[in-house]
């Protein structure tokens, strides 16, 4: 074996000796397939079979039990069924092995508490055994020839791969590695139930391997959220992109939230906030995952700008333009000099634009024209990468001329270039694998390809932001202010509007002035002192959404109107009311909020607010704290973003003021997030002269949300 850094998972993933309990000659059995895979992968260590019914299995010496082995092995693979797994695990622990792999589901018919899974888990925790599984398909350490899987795969995996795939789904692993020859893996793991080793720990192992260039995740959940965050940080530090297919995105949080903000936040928002913080690139299906891994595995660095592409069809070029717009994939805006070069090359009638239809009338020079046009496009300073978008030849084969286009484009620029078909169709043409390994990936399907482009430019942009952020310093929360509010929030106190406004004001957040009064005389005196018009709201305890009980009067112009409003509120809801200036501003109603995710802690939401917040549902989430630049990037991602620029002769709002307020709120969220369950600031009115909040609610960490 190649000498590598010592890691806690070495006994599991790189054992020097290994025994397969339940090894068998029976065709199709997990015990036979596991031995076959280890032999096919040329396991370099000492391999033993365990089964009292055989002297040898596929030529591997077989022993009746672990106790009969001539040495204590590092790793035991348990290929027995659930009815025998408990005894087999006891034998493994007694034997002194350091690691084990379990593929069984740990479910017994007519089992009794504690259930089999719980009994197995207790034994593992007590022994310190390092375990892959259970209820998984094992793993393939292709880099070191350790193929520990009880199911068939292709036999032509090679050493020297640079892609790691870690999957909670066994099929999510095998569905890619078994059939996708264009990806060369160094490690693939089906983590199963993660009784002992979680996804983040496999990531940590992969990040320590010198050959790892990209990590793909098929993720159901983060069983160790803190560890997952550490792994993402380590990937950032190592410059290794992580691509994730996260399933379960429609699952809503079970927690019922007090605030409007909490009501629209689902668990997936928390994952997206974590992915955004650490530059994790997200895809939507397994085609996109496989394609994006292929694209990241190629060796050429992405340039600045967007995609350039060359086509032999005007209609298919337009299809790419439409899909790129739909998927928010940047297309390069080529410079005038590039246009002049193209114009000189193209047949009459073909516009010199990107994406480019360059085929024209064909003829003997057509292929040379295509080569030169792609070279010109990719040499443009605004080109990040290039694509030759052509359909496959009959029977899914590849035209050699396309290879020439790609090589010419890369020679001219040094940038990545891809050969892309508009639909699946590469078939089994070995040229697709050969060219991909040469560094010129052959891909199928525009959507999957464009998803990969988005991920590659997204990773590039994340790293640029990360470098820029090194010179930025966020303001720090005032320690005295934090100390003043922490005890009340830690006690679970719910701060209704008046107190929540004080909290926010203490942290420098722009919020409308509010006075608390308990009589008509006080209300009249306060209004006279600060001037009409005013807003009157009930301050009765426990009424969190005042409009629901007609507890708000807006635009009271004089004493008469104020008296009438106060008399109504006091008679129905009690004498305690709040009085505020009626804001004479016209703007866009936004929101800022904090909710607590069970896995990742406090999250800040920002987006479009008002009374229709649930219906509009246009918000983004981020981990606090964050800068105003991050706030601007998140706002720019919202569907209703153009509204902030002013529509129908309305002036644009002061977006910078809102982003500064969001930054300030995130600093408070980071300082007090451990003692806050929720904060709801809705609306925050963004207007041409700044932004100001007019309502707020805060719920302490141990408090219970109320309807």
């Amino acid at each position: 074996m190649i000498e590598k850094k010592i890691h806690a998972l070495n006994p599991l993933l790189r054992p020097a000796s290994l025994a397969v309990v339940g090894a068998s000659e029976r065709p199709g059995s997990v015990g036979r397939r596991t031995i076959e895979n280890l032999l096919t992968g040329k396991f370099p260590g000492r391999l033993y079979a365990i089964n009292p019914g055989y002297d040898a299995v596929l030529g591997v010496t077989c022993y009746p039990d672990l106790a009969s082995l001539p040495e204590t092995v590092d790793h035991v693979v348990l290929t027995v069924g659930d009815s025998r797994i408990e005894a087999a695990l006891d034998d493994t622990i007694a034997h002194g092995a350091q690691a084990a792999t379990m593929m069984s589901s740990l479910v017994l018919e007519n089992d009794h508490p504690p259930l089999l899974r719980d009994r197995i888990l207790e034994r593992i925790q007590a022994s310190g055994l390092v375990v892959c599984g259970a209820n998984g398909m094992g793993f393939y350490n292709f880099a070191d020839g350790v193929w520990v899987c009880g199911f068939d795969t292709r036999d032509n995996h090679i050493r020297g791969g640079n892609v790691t795939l870690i999957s909670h789904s066994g099929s999510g692993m095998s569905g890619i590695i078994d059939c996708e020859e264009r990806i060369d893996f160094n490690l693939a793991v089906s983590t199963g139930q993660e009784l002992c080793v979680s996804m983040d720990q496999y990531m940590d192992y992969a990040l320590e391997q010198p050959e790892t260039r990209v990590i793909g995740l098929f993720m159901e959940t983060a069983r160790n959220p803190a560890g997952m965050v550490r792994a993402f940080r380590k990937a950032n530090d190592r410059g290794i992109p992580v691509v994730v297919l996260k399933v379960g995105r429609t699952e809503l949080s079970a927690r019922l939230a007090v605030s409007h903000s909490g009501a629209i936040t689902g668990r997936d928002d928390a994952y997206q906030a974590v992915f955004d913080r650490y530059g994790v690139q997200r895809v939507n299906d397994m085609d996109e995952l496989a394609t994006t891994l292929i694209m990241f595995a190629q060796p050429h660095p992405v340039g600045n700008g967007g995609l350039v592409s060359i086509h032999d069809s005007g209609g298919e070029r337009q299809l790419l333009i439409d899909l790129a717009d739909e998927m928010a994939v940047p297309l390069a805006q080529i410079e005038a000099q590039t246009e002049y070069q193209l114009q000189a090359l193209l047949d009459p009638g073909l516009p010199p634009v990107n994406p480019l239809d360059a085929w024209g009338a064909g003829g003997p020079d057509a292929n040379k024209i295509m080569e030169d046009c792609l070279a010109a496009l990719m040499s443009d300073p605004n080109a990040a990468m290039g694509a030759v978008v052509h359909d496959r030849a009959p029977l899914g084969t590849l035209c050699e001329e396309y290879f020439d286009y790609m090589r010419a484009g890369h020679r001219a620029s040094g940038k990545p270039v891809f050969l892309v078909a508009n639909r699946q169709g590469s078939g089994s043409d070995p040229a697709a694998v050969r060219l991909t390994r040469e560094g010129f990936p052959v891909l199928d399907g525009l959507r999957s390809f464009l998803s990969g482009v988005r991920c590659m430019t997204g990773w590039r942009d994340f790293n640029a932001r990360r470098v820029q952020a090194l010179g930025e310093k966020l303001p720090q929360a005032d320690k005295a202010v934090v100390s003043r509010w922490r005890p009340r929030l830690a006690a679970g106190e719910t701060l209704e509007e008046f107190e929540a406004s004080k909290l926010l004001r203490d942290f420098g957040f722009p919020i409308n002035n509010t006075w608390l009064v308990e009589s008509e005389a006080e209300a009249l005196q306060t209004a006279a002192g600060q001037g009409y018009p005013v807003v009157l709201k009930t301050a009765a305890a426990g009424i969190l959404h005042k409009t629901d009980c007609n507890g708000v009067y807006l635009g009271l112009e004089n004493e008469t109107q104020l008296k009438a409003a106060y008399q109504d509120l006091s008679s129905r809801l009690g004498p305690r009311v709040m009085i505020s200036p009626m804001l004479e501003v016209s703007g866009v109603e936004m929101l800022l909020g904090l909710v607590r995710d069970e896995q990742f802690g406090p999250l800040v939401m920002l987006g479009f607010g008002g009374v229709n917040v649930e219906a509009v549902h246009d918000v983004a989430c981020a981990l606090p704290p964050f800068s105003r630049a991050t706030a601007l990037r998140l706002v720019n991602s919202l569907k209703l973003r153009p509204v902030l620029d002013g529509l129908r002769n309305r002036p644009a709002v002061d977006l910078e003021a809102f982003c500064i307020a969001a930054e300030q709120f995130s600093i408070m969220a980071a300082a007090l997030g451990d003692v806050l369950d929720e904060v709801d600031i809705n609306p925050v009115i963004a207007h041409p002269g700044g932004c100001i909040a007019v309502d707020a609610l805060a719920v302490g960490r141990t408090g219970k949300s109320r309807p």
Side-chain angles (χ1 to χ4, degrees):
M1 288 187 182
I2 299 173
E3 190 64 34
K4 294 187 179 182
K5 184 175 179 179
I6 296 174
H7 192 278
L9 296 189
N10 277 4
L12 180 70
L13 301 177
R14 298 184 64 243
S17 54
L18 192 150
V20 179
V21 174
S24 173
E25 291 275 7
R26 182 164 53 86
S29 66
V30 174
R32 179 188 176 97
R33 181 63 70 184
T34 300
I35 296 289
E36 286 177 339
N37 281 331
L38 286 162
L39 294 174
T40 302
K42 297 181 172 57
F43 175 62
R46 299 175 298 282
L47 177 61
Y48 306 97
I50 306 295
N51 192 323
Y54 297 95
D55 293 327
V57 173
L58 300 177
V60 177
T61 303
C62 195
Y63 293 82
D65 50 41
L66 290 170
S68 304
L69 290 177
E71 65 171 315
T72 300
V73 296
D74 293 338
H75 185 146
V76 175
V77 185
L78 303 174
T79 69
V80 298
D82 289 324
S83 62
R84 297 171 55 200
I85 193 72
E86 208 165 356
L89 178 61
D90 287 340
D91 290 345
T92 300
I93 295 169
H95 175 69
Q98 299 177 63
T101 295
M102 294 183 184
M103 300 175 216
S104 55
S105 61
L106 303 187
V107 177
L108 290 176
E109 188 176 0
N110 300 321
D111 199 6
H112 54 82
L115 299 178
L116 176 61
R117 182 186 182 281
D118 298 324
R119 300 195 298 271
I120 292 290
L121 180 58
E122 183 179 2
R123 285 172 166 82
I124 291 172
Q125 291 174 339
S127 67
L129 194 68
V130 180
V131 176
C132 178
N135 196 30
M137 294 178 66
F139 66 88
Y140 296 94
N141 179 356
F142 295 114
D144 297 303
V146 188
W147 296 22
V148 178
C149 181
F151 304 87
D152 58 344
T153 188
R154 55 188 173 91
D155 60 6
N156 61 346
H157 292 285
I158 66 168
R159 294 198 183 190
N162 59 9
V163 177
T164 291
L165 177 63
I166 307 168
S167 176
H168 284 141
S169 163
S171 295
M173 177 189 75
S174 63
I176 293 178
I177 70 166
D178 291 349
C179 59
E180 185 47 85
E181 295 183 50
R182 290 170 293 185
I183 305 179
D184 293 321
F185 295 94
N186 65 339
L187 176 67
V189 183
S190 165
T191 68
Q193 296 175 356
E194 299 183 339
L195 295 181
C196 177
V197 183
S198 52
M199 179 174 277
D200 56 283
Q201 294 170 285
Y202 293 112
M203 283 183 63
D204 187 82
Y205 177 90
L207 290 167
E208 292 289 347
Q209 308 313 304
E211 63 271 12
T212 303
R213 184 178 180 88
V214 59
I215 295 176
L217 306 178
F218 189 116
M219 179 189 289
E220 294 174 354
T221 188
R223 291 190 175 93
N224 180 14
M228 187 65 72
V229 167
R230 286 193 297 271
F232 289 156
R233 284 177 179 156
K234 187 170 186 173
N236 290 169
D237 294 339
R238 300 292 171 92
I240 295 176
V242 178
V243 182
V244 62
L245 172 57
K246 171 69 176 67
V247 297
R249 68 173 60 204
T250 57
E251 180 185 351
L252 297 178
S253 171
R255 183 187 65 251
L256 294 175
V258 177
S259 65
H260 295 294
S261 306
I264 61 173
T265 297
R267 187 175 176 181
D268 193 68
D269 291 323
Y271 280 96
Q272 187 56 47
V274 173
F275 298 158
D276 183 76
R277 170 62 65 90
Y278 298 106
V280 177
Q281 302 303 309
R282 189 167 187 175
V283 294
N284 296 307
D285 57 37
M286 289 175 65
D287 272 341
E288 290 185 7
L289 178 59
T291 298
T292 303
L293 292 176
I294 293 171
M295 294 172 70
F296 271 117
Q298 60 80 39
H300 311 302
V302 174
N304 296 320
L307 172 70
V308 295
S309 62
I310 193 166
H311 307 249
D312 64 353
S313 163
E316 290 186 346
R317 171 189 60 184
Q318 291 163 249
L319 175 62
L320 182 139
I321 294 171
D322 290 343
L323 289 175
D325 179 73
E326 175 189 327
M327 298 174 66
V329 172
L331 300 178
Q333 299 295 316
I334 59 174
E335 296 190 344
Q337 181 59 39
T338 306
E339 292 181 2
Y340 295 147
Q341 289 179 264
L342 294 174
Q343 190 70 71
L345 293 167
L346 293 168
D347 287 349
L350 293 177
V353 296
N354 174 55
L356 178 68
D357 173 12
W359 185 251
D365 296 328
N367 286 314
K368 184 66 170 73
I369 290 171
M370 296 287 281
E371 278 186 44
D372 293 344
C373 284
L374 183 61
L377 282 170
M378 292 191 65
S379 298
D380 191 280
N382 297 321
M385 67 191 83
V388 176
V389 184
H390 281 310
D391 296 320
R392 302 287 178 254
L395 301 179
T397 57
L398 305 175
C399 293
E400 292 286 339
E401 292 84 358
Y402 301 164
F403 308 168
D404 296 333
Y405 306 167
M406 299 170 74
R407 294 187 178 108
H410 175 68
R411 276 196 308 271
S413 65
K415 299 167 187 172
V417 59
F418 307 92
L419 177 58
V420 186
N422 284 283
R423 61 175 304 277
Q424 301 292 335
S426 291
S428 58
D429 192 331
V433 179
R434 186 183 76 247
L435 199 63
T436 299
R437 286 182 176 156
E438 189 181 322
F440 300 100
V442 177
L443 306 171
D444 302 301
L446 273 182
R447 280 192 178 275
S448 296
F449 166 66
L450 290 173
S451 178
V453 174
R454 183 177 58 204
C455 289
M456 293 186 78
T457 55
W459 171 246
R460 173 203 65 193
D461 295 345
F462 166 77
N463 282 293
R465 292 194 306 270
R466 194 164 178 254
V467 170
Q468 185 178 7
L470 293 176
E472 296 177 349
K473 247 191 173 179
L474 282 175
Q476 297 296 306
D478 187 313
K479 292 181 180 179
V481 172
V482 173
S483 297
R484 183 161 64 249
W485 287 99
R486 176 174 290 279
R488 294 180 61 181
L489 296 168
E493 185 174 343
T494 294
L495 306 181
E496 297 177 17
E497 183 177 344
F498 181 70
E499 289 296 307
S501 298
K502 289 171 61 178
L503 167 69
L504 293 167
R505 201 172 290 112
D506 277 357
F507 278 91
F509 191 87
I511 190 163
N512 197 17
N513 288 324
T514 301
W515 293 269
L516 184 65
V517 300
E518 298 195 20
S519 69
E520 181 181 299
E522 282 186 87
L524 293 171
Q525 182 180 3
T526 301
Q530 76 91 35
Y532 290 94
V534 296
V535 175
L536 200 67
K537 302 180 184 179
T538 180
I543 299 179
L544 303 182
H545 302 301
K546 299 170 181 60
T547 55
D548 294 347
C549 62
N550 297 318
V552 179
Y553 278 91
L554 302 175
L556 302 174
E557 298 283 353
N558 50 53
E559 287 189 9
T560 302
Q561 293 180 4
L562 179 57
K563 284 182 178 181
Y566 181 84
Q567 289 168 8
D568 175 60
L569 292 181
S570 62
S571 65
R572 291 188 296 110
L573 303 172
R576 296 180 82 243
V577 298
M578 292 176 292
I579 190 165
S580 304
M582 179 69 189
L583 296 177
E584 302 283 351
V585 294
S586 176
V588 178
E589 292 187 333
M590 307 292 287
L591 73 80
L592 284 163
L594 176 146
V595 292
R596 172 166 293 278
D597 180 76
E598 293 177 1
Q599 292 182 302
F600 296 106
L603 300 172
V604 170
M605 294 178 303
L606 69 165
F608 288 87
V611 295
N612 296 317
V613 60
E614 291 94 343
V616 172
H617 193 74
D618 196 10
V619 297
C621 280
L623 297 180
F626 54 79
S627 68
R628 62 196 68 182
T630 296
L632 178 61
R633 181 171 56 82
L634 294 174
V635 170
N636 286 338
S637 72
L638 300 175
K639 298 187 291 290
L640 297 178
R641 168 63 180 82
V643 172
L644 302 174
D645 292 330
L647 299 176
R648 296 186 178 181
N649 298 320
R650 292 183 178 180
V653 307
D654 187 344
L655 185 52
E656 182 181 10
F658 177 76
C659 292
I660 291 172
E663 175 188 86
Q664 198 65 32
F665 180 73
S666 80
I667 292 168
M668 184 196 78
L672 292 174
D674 60 322
V675 292
L676 278 168
D677 260 348
E678 299 178 39
V679 179
D680 185 20
I681 314 174
N682 181 29
V684 180
I685 300 176
H687 57 88
C691 78
I692 190 164
V694 298
D695 197 359
L697 167 72
V699 180
R701 178 70 181 96
T702 59
K704 293 184 177 179
S705 300
R706 287 182 276 180

